[in-house]
Amino acid sequence: SIHHYKEDITADKLLKIVEQLNNDSSVHGIIVQQPLPAHIDTYKIVAATDPKKDVDGFHEKSPFAPPIAAAVLEVLHNIYSSSEGVRRPNREVLDSPAKRDRSNNNDFNTWLKRKTLVIIGKGGTGGKPIREAIENRRASVTVIDSKTEHPASLLKEADIVISCVGRPSPVNFADLKKDAILIGVGMYRGEDGKLHADYDEKTIQDTAAYYTPVPGGIGPVNVAMLLKNAVDAAKEA
């Protein structure tokens, strides 16, 4: 169910709606679509959500991983499992999930820890949860934001770049390291009315060993991870 409200809705009314959904046994997952209007405290609304129904994973007591972070790890695991680190030129990821044995998670974590990872953007719905998910696997990651000095030098050293900007990026992806893995989380609608990645796919396709396209890249995996959380929530209800 999608609940649409006018932009001038009050925080009190929104809190009452969340409370009703919390108490509705037929509802197993609640998503507070962000960003909310400026006059509403997003943290307060998310905090009011029943953690067991917070399938977006933003509540501090939510048992669920944020779907966007799970999606990025799913894609990276897919690359690891299908290639074992061997380059396959110009391959777009996600056309079909690779069959893999989940028992090799430890090997995947070791592979991840050996990589130099860079995240571009640190937003609460993108870069931040992805960084936390990677660090939970004890891998190191560097975050590039608007205040980062010499971002090109960091980009040239990165084995894995995860871009979460959502607009034409100030980072020059022509500086991408040869055979790097490029994950596009951010996207924006261009003047042509189409969705675009933070990077120009034509510019990077001969440099990146793997990259996710837009549309059709991280988005569908993100939805799958969200629905997985919803199914798990229903099982626990």
Side-chain angles (χ1 to χ4, degrees), residues 48-70:
T49 305
D50 183 344
K52 295 179 181 179
K53 296 186 178 186
D54 176 35
V55 291
D56 250 347
F58 290 139
H59 194 292
E60 60 183 13
K61 294 184 179 180
S62 175
F64 304 107
I68 190 63

Side-chain angles (χ1 to χ4, degrees), residues 72-73 75-77 79-80 108 111-120 130 134 139-142 144 154-155 157-163 176-183 210:
V72 168
L73 289 174
V75 171
L76 289 174
H77 202 316
I79 293 171
Y80 161 75
F108 168 65
W111 174 83
L112 198 64
K113 286 188 282 188
R114 290 173 178 169
K115 300 296 182 182
T116 301
L117 290 101
V118 165
I119 295 177
I120 306 174
I130 294 169
I134 291 172
S140 298
V141 60
T142 299
I144 294 176
L154 296 174
L155 198 64
E157 298 297 321
D159 300 309
I160 300 173
V161 178
I162 304 166
S163 186
L176 196 68
K177 179 180 179 180
K178 186 69 173 175
D179 291 350
I181 296 168
L182 183 56
I183 308 295
Y210 293 84

Side-chain angles (χ1 to χ4, degrees), residues 68-234:
I68 190 63
V72 168
L73 289 174
E74 181 77 7
V75 171
L76 289 174
H77 202 316
N78 186 57
I79 293 171
Y80 161 75
S81 300
S82 63
S83 69
E84 295 181 352
V86 178
R87 170 181 163 81
R88 296 185 185 182
N90 298 341
R91 175 172 177 170
E92 286 187 359
V93 219
L94 307 175
D95 287 340
S96 59
K99 294 180 179 179
R100 60 177 180 270
D101 181 356
R102 289 291 180 177
S103 66
N104 67 357
N105 262 331
N106 288 334
D107 292 338
F108 168 65
N109 289 343
T110 299
W111 174 83
L112 198 64
K113 286 188 282 188
R114 290 173 178 169
K115 300 296 182 182
T116 301
L117 290 101
V118 165
I119 295 177
I120 306 174
K122 59 180 183 181
T125 59
K128 182 176 182 289
I130 294 169
R131 174 184 59 78
E132 291 174 347
I134 291 172
E135 290 178 342
N136 284 341
R137 294 188 177 239
R138 299 187 179 179
S140 298
V141 60
T142 299
V143 176
I144 294 176
D145 62 18
S146 59
K147 298 179 181 178
T148 301
E149 296 182 359
H150 312 299
S153 62
L154 296 174
L155 198 64
K156 288 178 180 177
E157 298 297 321
D159 300 309
I160 300 173
V161 178
I162 304 166
S163 186
C164 310
V165 180
R167 62 180 185 277
S169 176
V171 175
N172 184 3
F173 285 95
D175 293 328
L176 196 68
K177 179 180 179 180
K178 186 69 173 175
D179 291 350
I181 296 168
L182 183 56
I183 308 295
V185 174
M187 64 181 71
Y188 66 95
R189 194 170 297 279
E191 294 180 358
D192 57 3
K194 298 180 180 179
L195 290 174
H196 296 271
D198 295 341
Y199 46 83
D200 181 354
E201 294 178 29
K202 293 181 180 179
T203 300
I204 57 87
Q205 64 181 358
D206 292 330
T207 303
Y210 293 84
Y211 70 95
T212 57
V214 171
I218 285 292
V221 188
N222 185 31
V223 172
M225 295 299 103
L226 176 66
L227 293 178
K228 179 181 182 301
N229 285 351
V231 170
D232 290 343

